Amino acid sequence: MPYFYGEMVTGVAFPTCKFLKEIKLNPIPQTHRSKAVKVGIIDLITKKPTNALYAKIMNPNSASIMPQVVAAWAEELGHEVHLVTYTGFEDLRRELPNNIDILFVCAFTQAAFLAYSISNLFRKQNVVTVLGGPHARAYAEDAKNYFDYVIGFADKTLICDLLQGFSRHPDEGVMLSAQRQPHALPGVRARWKFIRQTLDKTRFFKIVPMIGSLGCPYHCSFCIDSQIEYQTLPYDEIREDLVFLQTQFKQAAVGWHDPNFGVRFDDYMGIIEEAVKPGAIRFVFRLDRETSGLVLVAKHPAAARELRALWERREVVKYYIAIVHGQVAADMLGEQSIDHSE
């Protein structure tokens, strides 16, 4: 039985993603490499250095999943991979080897200036740089001025092709994207090497990132995922990951990176109850970095059962607040409930 429940309560607006529909994507040059390359990956959890105790404890628990996925894919393809999760305490110039061939950076928009600076530093060393993550999808046109490649959707085929045929683009970056989100991602077991090295940065609280779906079934105009087809990830893999985690920790904590957990609530809870021994794993829902909100924590099993019942009966009311710059046009104002049956 999970003891931690969370739900996004308030949100901020960010631009609709026109990356895939309006931008002509360029093919990857066919200058294939037959040897392995040295791949650097930086997951920007924060935008600047910090000495805060809270950041020391919690930032390593906010690691993104896709940088770990790209790292796992690159290793499976035979490349040498160095992943750094930047929590505000690392010296990135020392964390990565000097002789990497290509650098992937995952960034939210709050960390965009840091991402641009990192790219500039490594491009001066003749390293090819690639931007992925929310900022790449929301502000691709801007990002291509600072990176050699900007990625929308990434699957293993795209990463494979890129690592075989990348080159420098100093004048203007190349925008790449798979046709859709991948049908499956490397699970916790496949990403464990990279998960573990990040969790080793904190001693008190270790949360393993998992996800159950991609895209979104709703069509909110302010969200970059509103145009992305909703899909669940394979249930068998989720079940296997939960079983695996129980072999790694006496009591594991899972951070569910899934804003649409409630869409398949019964399915996910069925998997959890089937795979997890009572009290073996605690669950908390991570809020997107682009979103502000609250996390509701059950302090004991009885409270967890009651909270779960509230969610199952859909008796929890949530309000979303969008913060925008300037004046909102009158025809964009109004109130509308989300139809959960769609």
Side-chain angles (χ1 to χ4, degrees), residues 9 19 24 51 93 98 120 123 131 147 156 168 198 225 249 260 276 297 303 318 322 331 336:
V9 181
F19 180 67
K24 182 178 180 181
N51 291 315
R93 293 170 296 182
N98 294 325
N120 180 59
R123 290 175 97 182
L131 180 68
F147 282 82
K156 189 175 181 179
R168 299 180 64 199
T198 300
D225 278 338
F249 296 100
N260 293 303
V276 179
V297 178
K318 293 165 285 185
D331 58 359
Q336 182 178 356

Side-chain angles (χ1 to χ4, degrees), residues 116-134:
Y116 292 168
S117 298
I118 291 171
S119 178
N120 180 59
L121 177 65
F122 280 88
R123 290 175 97 182
K124 288 180 178 179
Q125 302 172 19
N126 296 321
V127 176
V128 172
T129 62
V130 185
L131 180 68

